[in-house]
Amino acid sequence: RDAQESRELGDVEKRQETNRDRQRQAEVERDRQRRTETHRDRQRQTETDRDRQRQRETDRDRHRQT
């Protein structure tokens, strides 16, 4: 009986370890996704800023021509 209990406890510990590993892996994946999204957001903002700057320059050039 003690051997059976020991095996059961070992099984519980293995499941807990597996669950912790899965949880860590999920956290790493969420962190990677957040970093990717942040990078994309920065790229989009940079593109938007460039577009606005080009538009201001175009508007200024048009104004000078008139």
Side-chain angles (χ1 to χ4, degrees):
R1 186 169 180 193
D2 286 337
Q4 178 64 28
E5 286 179 25
S6 179
R7 281 193 297 275
E8 289 173 0
L9 287 175
D11 291 345
V12 168
E13 290 172 354
K14 286 179 188 175
R15 280 194 302 275
Q16 288 174 338
E17 186 176 325
T18 299
N19 288 338
R20 280 192 298 269
D21 290 344
R22 286 180 183 157
Q23 186 176 6
R24 279 189 216 114
Q25 188 173 359
E27 289 170 3
V28 166
E29 180 61 22
R30 281 192 299 270
D31 187 51
R32 186 191 67 76
Q33 288 175 347
R34 276 189 223 113
R35 285 194 316 269
T36 300
E37 289 169 4
T38 299
H39 179 71
R40 284 185 191 142
D41 290 345
R42 286 182 184 148
Q43 282 181 318
R44 283 188 203 113
Q45 186 60 48
T46 299
E47 291 169 3
T48 299
D49 291 345
R50 276 193 217 125
D51 291 345
R52 287 179 179 156
Q53 180 62 29
R54 284 186 193 121
Q55 187 62 49
R56 282 193 297 267
E57 290 169 0
T58 300
D59 291 346
R60 187 179 59 228
D61 290 346
R62 285 184 183 147
H63 181 73
R64 287 179 181 166
Q65 292 174 0
T66 58

